[in-house]
Amino acid sequence: MASETMIQNAKAFLQQESPDSKLNLYDHMCSVMHKILENRTPNSVDLLESLSQEVKTNKFAPPCDPSSDVRPASLEVELANVQNKLFEKPSEDAEPEPEDEVEMPLPDLMDTAHYFEQAGLGLGREETFRIFLALKNLVDTHTLQSVRFWGKIQGTEKNYIVAEVEYREGGEEEQEGEEEEGEESREEETDEAKEGDEDNLPTPDYKPPPVIPKEETGTGCNKKTYFVCNEPGTEWTKLPPVTPAQIVCARQIKKFFSGNLEAAVISYPPFPGTEINYLRAQIARISAGTHISPVDYYKFEEDDEDDSDGEGRDSFVENVEFEPPRVQELIDSLSNWVHHCSTFYHKADVFGLTHR
């Protein structure tokens, strides 16, 4: 006769849980026996397999009702909901714009896209129109003098849509003050850290080369201000001013953009900043090397005509007296084209256009 210990061991064995179904044989057999005794099923020995399957099926609980059509929103649907706000009309209760409002600084992007289409280039009319509406929102939220769609940079996870802007006089003073406060706080933290590390340790005689200061906003590499967003309708992010050290390092490395402005730039030599700084440095390099125009299409302003101190000039306006050459002349000779954007020294500080 089986002892009590053997019975307990057998029961414990039957109560072992299956890693797949999370069930155990003891509870399952109890449920099958309960069903047979409750329904008084005839010929239960012949129906044992089907009864066991029925008990297992009744224990299955789906995570959601299969009859419902509710599905989690896809990324395309979420993006469409965000971009839907671009097409909303302003409410009737909105205040009417004053008659003496400054002319809208945003050019007709669709007209520009039409000419790109003639050359087989561009982003497509639908995406271009969404970008135009996103730029219009940027104009409505900032006091800007000019806005230009700079371009689109593709990333491994997300893309960047870049807008090049210029503020009106006094429009950027508040933001510059915030940046200076942030730099001062960082310098104070660095000084405090140095004070805390002061010990009776030997100090090296090596002195690093002097750091080239960044150019002020509105001059040189920082003449223009740039905003980026990942998709039309998402929030615009202002890029910080670029420094010569960032441009020098950006020349020496090759990195894919991820689409995350806070992502670390792991490279050698080490890049001084995150992806937001790397993006700004590459924008400065591309702008300096690719902005061209026909000869005499721009002219220097009157204030810069008498430039006798040898410094470069980067302030120019469109020449209203410009007479365009024939298309064939522009195609045949590169001498009919000039750069109209400032060029870098090898140390990445900027000199202006001294000849044209």
Side-chain angles (χ1 to χ4, degrees), residues 16-25 28 56 59-60:
Q16 292 180 356
E17 190 178 76
S18 171
D20 299 328
S21 61
K22 305 301 180 182
L23 302 176
N24 63 78
L25 182 60
H28 176 69
K56 286 184 177 181
K59 288 185 177 181
F60 172 72

Side-chain angles (χ1 to χ4, degrees), residues 291-299 319 322-326 329-330 333-340 356:
H291 286 190
I292 60 173
S293 59
V295 175
D296 297 330
Y297 183 81
Y298 292 106
K299 67 176 183 178
N319 184 8
F322 171 72
E323 295 182 2
R326 293 184 297 110
E329 294 178 0
L330 295 175
S333 177
L334 295 178
S335 62
N336 293 320
W337 296 88
V338 294
H339 286 274
H340 62 258
R356 291 190 179 97

Side-chain angles (χ1 to χ4, degrees), residues 72-338:
S74 61
L75 296 178
E76 290 79 5
V77 174
E78 293 179 357
L79 180 59
N81 292 331
V82 172
Q83 295 182 345
N84 186 43
K85 299 178 181 179
L86 296 174
F87 299 90
E88 294 179 354
K89 294 182 179 180
S91 60
E92 298 179 355
D93 300 335
E95 297 181 0
E97 296 182 357
E99 296 181 358
D100 58 346
E101 183 72 18
V102 181
E103 183 180 356
M104 183 177 180
L106 181 62
D108 188 355
L109 188 59
M110 299 305 298
D111 183 57
T112 305
H114 169 73
Y115 293 105
F116 277 104
E117 285 185 356
Q118 307 309 309
L121 304 174
L123 302 176
R125 296 187 179 183
E126 292 185 3
E127 184 175 4
T128 301
F129 186 68
R130 290 195 295 267
I131 293 174
F132 172 77
L133 295 178
L135 292 175
K136 187 175 182 301
N137 285 350
L138 181 63
V139 172
D140 294 339
T141 54
H142 296 78
T143 55
L144 304 177
Q145 179 179 350
S146 65
V147 180
R148 188 176 73 90
F149 172 51
W150 186 88
K152 181 178 181 179
I153 296 180
Q154 295 183 331
T156 56
E157 300 176 6
K158 297 179 182 179
N159 303 324
Y160 289 120
I161 295 173
V162 186
E164 180 184 86
V165 307
E166 278 188 291
Y167 282 88
R168 297 177 192 162
E169 293 184 3
E172 201 178 7
E173 292 179 355
E174 297 181 358
Q175 299 189 15
E176 289 181 359
E178 294 176 358
E179 293 176 359
E180 292 177 357
E181 291 178 0
E183 292 179 359
E184 290 177 358
S185 62
R186 286 192 292 270
E187 291 177 358
E188 292 176 358
E189 292 176 358
T190 304
D191 294 339
E192 292 177 358
K194 290 181 178 179
E195 292 177 0
D197 294 339
E198 284 184 356
D199 292 324
N200 296 326
L201 298 176
T203 57
D205 296 333
Y206 170 76
K207 293 182 179 180
V211 178
I212 302 175
K214 69 177 181 180
E215 294 169 303
E216 297 180 358
T217 303
T219 60
C221 302
N222 297 315
K223 180 176 178 59
K224 305 287 186 178
T225 304
Y226 295 90
F227 285 82
V228 297
C229 65
N230 295 121
E231 293 288 347
T234 57
E235 183 179 359
W236 288 99
T237 302
K238 180 184 175 183
L239 299 183
V242 67
T243 64
Q246 292 169 351
I247 294 179
V248 169
C249 187
R251 286 172 166 173
Q252 302 173 8
I253 62 176
K254 294 181 179 180
K255 293 288 293 184
F256 285 112
F257 290 103
S258 66
N260 179 15
L261 293 175
E262 303 300 327
V265 180
I266 302 175
S267 64
Y268 184 82
F271 182 79
T274 58
E275 185 164 305
I276 189 173
N277 306 106
Y278 181 62
L279 175 62
R280 180 63 182 86
Q282 296 294 14
I283 288 175
R285 294 185 60 211
I286 295 172
S287 297
T290 60
H291 286 190
I292 60 173
S293 59
V295 175
D296 297 330
Y297 183 81
Y298 292 106
K299 67 176 183 178
F300 293 113
E301 294 183 347
E302 296 179 357
D303 297 340
D304 292 340
E305 289 295 336
D306 299 331
D307 186 22
S308 58
D309 57 359
E311 294 183 358
R313 300 169 294 179
D314 60 355
S315 179
F316 52 85
V317 294
E318 187 174 341
N319 184 8
V320 295
E321 300 177 356
F322 171 72
E323 295 182 2
R326 293 184 297 110
V327 175
Q328 194 62 36
E329 294 178 0
L330 295 175
I331 297 175
D332 293 341
S333 177
L334 295 178
S335 62
N336 293 320
W337 296 88
V338 294

